[in-house]
Each structure stands twice: as structure tokens, then as C-alpha cells.
Amino acid sequence: IVEKDRFQTSGDLRKQWTESGVETSRATVYRRVQEMGYRCRIPQVKPLLNQKQRQKRLTWATEKQHWTVAQWSKREMPKCLKSSVKYPQSVMVWGAMSAAVNAASYQEILEHFMLPSAEKLYGDEDFIFQHDLAPAHSAKTTGKWFTDHGITVLNWPANSPDLNPIENLWDIVKRKLRDARPNTLDELKAAIEASWASITPQQCHRLIASMPRRIEAVISAKGFPTNY
């Protein structure tokens, strides 16, 4: 029964055995399953990838297989983070990331926030900008905006948060926010700024240095989701 459906819980197994006339407790079921050599685990939640998406991920990873950490260090990684508390308070945050808005608003954000940030980080040096395939990001007008500003955009495979190390930074921010437990909008903003400021350059460097390993993991998984 376990081998046919690995996602069944001990409660599911107990229900099946009870229906077949075997009365037992959930704890007994758990012990017996352990004795049979099986281990109970909570499955990891990963994006659903179809065959075409897996192939694109594999192709993308193969193309970037020989990129160095220095090359990955010049990649601007934006993303939208919407943080909320238990109360009806929320705030949208910019920190080298984009917002989930329409194409026109997204381009305004790029103009007023990303360009000054990139100039401060890179000066006159070239850099590669990375964003996901959200509609505002992949709109033709957004593509034209990048072309007009002479900015190279990294091609990006769909459903691939495991390839984007900035996801780990947002996880750090969200964990710190849970500990802070802000009650008002001002407290929420202050907690977000404090949690973002607490991220060290060393943490960023370690995440960037993980890119070659992430690439190899995708290739080894033949495009399927990885543990990152």
C-alpha cells in the first residue's frame, strides 16, 4: 500500500485497515511502518514542471554551465516581496526587486529605482539584468525599454525559483518578520528595513557562489526541480 502511494499518511493507512476489519491506532500504524523500513517524511513542495519547461531548464543550465561566480556576481536579481501581518496591513517593498504590477508601472519602477541602483553598484560597467516571466516583465514594451536603455536581460526558464538565489534572501526576511511580529504599518516597514539591512555581504556572496552548483543540479536532474 505504501509503495503504491507514497503520499499517504499514517491516518490514511489506519482508515484503510479499519475498513478491511483491522482495528488499530494511528501510533501503531506509524510504528509498524517504521519497523518495515519506511520513514515518514513531509514532501517538498516544488513548482509543477511540464516536459517543455524541464527541457528549457536543462537547455538553460547547459548554456550557463561554465559561467564563473564573477559572472553571476554581475547579475541584478529582482523580485517582488509582499509582506503582510495578521492585521489588514501590507506593504510593497523595493530592494533591487520588481513589483507585481502592469508593464507601464513596472517600467516606471525600473526607471526610478533599478537604474539608480545599477549605477551605484556598477557605474559604467555592463551588467546583466534578471527577472522572471511575469506578464509585466515579458511584455513587448518592457523588452523595448531594456533595449532602449542598452541593458542585457538574462533569458529565464519558467517555474525556476530554485535557480534564483534571491529567493533565499526573501526567505530570510520573512523568517525575521515572523520573529518581529509587527502590529502596525510603521512597525511592519521598520521590521522589513531592519531584516533586509541585517543580511550580510557574506550571505550574498555565498548565495551567488552557489550558482554553479545549482546549474549542475538542474543538469543532473535533467530539468526536474532540485533541492535548492
Side-chain angles (χ1 to χ4, degrees), residues 13-52:
L13 295 174
R14 176 179 178 271
K15 182 179 179 181
Q16 290 187 54
W17 290 342
T18 300
E19 291 174 351
S20 64
V22 180
E23 289 293 337
T24 185
S25 67
R26 182 178 299 185
T28 300
V29 172
Y30 179 82
R31 287 197 301 272
R32 294 295 178 267
V33 169
Q34 294 278 316
E35 290 170 0
M36 293 169 65
Y38 296 105
R39 294 292 177 267
C40 296
R41 297 287 186 270
I42 298 175
Q44 289 184 319
V45 179
K46 296 290 183 178
L48 178 64
L49 295 168
N50 58 37
Q51 184 175 359
K52 184 177 181 181

Side-chain angles (χ1 to χ4, degrees), residues 9 11 32 37 45 48 51 56 60 64 86 92 100 103 119 133 146 154 162-163 168 173 185 195-196:
T9 65
R32 294 295 178 267
V45 179
L48 178 64
Q51 184 175 359
K56 285 187 176 181
W60 185 92
K64 308 297 186 293
K86 196 172 182 179
M92 298 297 293
E119 183 176 355
L133 300 181
F146 281 106
L154 183 69
D162 54 344
L163 287 170
N168 301 90
V173 170
L185 185 59
S195 61
W196 182 262

Side-chain angles (χ1 to χ4, degrees), residues 175-214:
R175 288 203 305 270
K176 290 180 179 292
L177 285 175
R178 284 197 294 269
D179 295 335
R181 303 178 69 84
N183 294 316
T184 66
L185 185 59
D186 288 339
E187 288 179 4
L188 176 60
K189 290 180 179 179
I192 291 172
E193 291 177 356
S195 61
W196 182 262
S198 70
I199 297 173
T200 66
Q202 289 76 19
Q203 286 176 297
C204 294
H205 291 322
R206 283 197 297 270
L207 289 173
I208 292 171
S210 73
M211 284 307 301
R213 298 193 299 275
R214 294 171 190 253

Side-chain angles (χ1 to χ4, degrees), residues 104-219:
S105 299
Y106 180 53
Q107 291 157 37
E108 288 183 13
I109 291 172
L110 294 172
E111 190 82 36
H112 296 299
F113 294 96
M114 189 277 282
L115 287 182
S117 175
E119 183 176 355
K120 182 179 179 181
L121 288 169
Y122 306 115
D124 294 330
E125 294 184 38
D126 292 332
F127 67 94
I128 298 175
F129 188 82
Q130 180 266 310
H131 55 188
D132 57 26
L133 300 181
H137 303 174
S138 56
K140 290 183 179 180
T141 56
T142 300
K144 184 177 183 301
W145 186 93
F146 281 106
T147 300
D148 293 343
H149 286 77
I151 298 173
T152 301
V153 178
L154 183 69
N155 64 310
W156 192 252
N159 288 347
S160 299
D162 54 344
L163 287 170
N164 195 348
I166 203 171
E167 297 286 354
N168 301 90
L169 295 187
W170 302 150
D171 185 59
I172 293 172
V173 170
K174 287 186 280 188
R175 288 203 305 270
K176 290 180 179 292
L177 285 175
R178 284 197 294 269
D179 295 335
R181 303 178 69 84
N183 294 316
T184 66
L185 185 59
D186 288 339
E187 288 179 4
L188 176 60
K189 290 180 179 179
I192 291 172
E193 291 177 356
S195 61
W196 182 262
S198 70
I199 297 173
T200 66
Q202 289 76 19
Q203 286 176 297
C204 294
H205 291 322
R206 283 197 297 270
L207 289 173
I208 292 171
S210 73
M211 284 307 301
R213 298 193 299 275
R214 294 171 190 253
I215 295 295
E216 290 298 332
V218 171
I219 294 174

